[in-house]
Amino acid sequence: MHELSLVQGLLRQLADLAGKHGATSVSRVKVEIGPLSGIVVDSFCFGFEVLAVEDELTQRAILEIVVPPLQYQCCHCGSSCPATTTMPDSCPRCGTTLLVPAGGDGIVLLQVEME
């Protein structure tokens, strides 16, 4: 369950940001988790619930997770196409079948609200 270590890293990042801006509490955190990141969103949220309450800085913080839609890129023409539930059979622009995932494998801190 590597999600706990990721949450610990997030909490350290929040503490650093709060220190730099003289904030005493974090009220809202928005994180983007890519669908190919290998992160189990429910486990990440559980880890945040457990660990955030241990620190006065984050004990009232609300976590918002954004999971962007998966995109595929055509290796032939370079166009991108969204995937609904599975990989598209072919590129909607040129028809080739050589498509690769484009992004969606990261975790990004998008927004922090502090007081």
Side-chain angles (χ1 to χ4, degrees):
M1 187 167 166
H2 69 289
E3 285 81 2
L4 280 178
S5 62
L6 293 171
V7 170
Q8 289 171 328
L10 172 63
L11 295 175
R12 281 192 299 273
Q13 190 175 7
L14 293 173
D16 289 345
L17 287 170
K20 287 179 184 174
H21 296 283
T24 56
S25 68
V26 174
S27 56
R28 184 173 294 273
V29 181
K30 188 173 182 179
V31 175
E32 179 181 283
I33 297 177
L36 298 178
S37 65
I39 299 169
V40 178
V41 172
D42 288 344
S43 296
F44 188 87
C45 291
F46 175 75
F48 188 86
E49 287 176 21
V50 170
L51 296 177
V53 297
E54 294 179 353
D55 189 332
E56 190 173 311
L57 178 71
T58 55
Q59 65 185 356
R60 293 189 186 98
I62 296 170
L63 176 65
E64 181 182 347
I65 301 292
V66 175
V67 179
L70 184 57
Q71 295 277 323
Y72 283 89
Q73 185 170 21
C74 177
C75 293
H76 180 71
C77 71
S79 70
S80 293
C81 56
T84 53
T85 56
T86 59
M87 187 173 115
D89 292 332
S90 62
C91 174
R93 186 172 171 197
C94 71
T96 190
T97 57
L98 191 52
L99 303 170
V100 294
D105 56 352
I107 177 170
V108 180
L109 176 58
L110 295 175
Q111 185 178 21
V112 180
E113 294 178 13
M114 299 181 278
E115 298 171 6

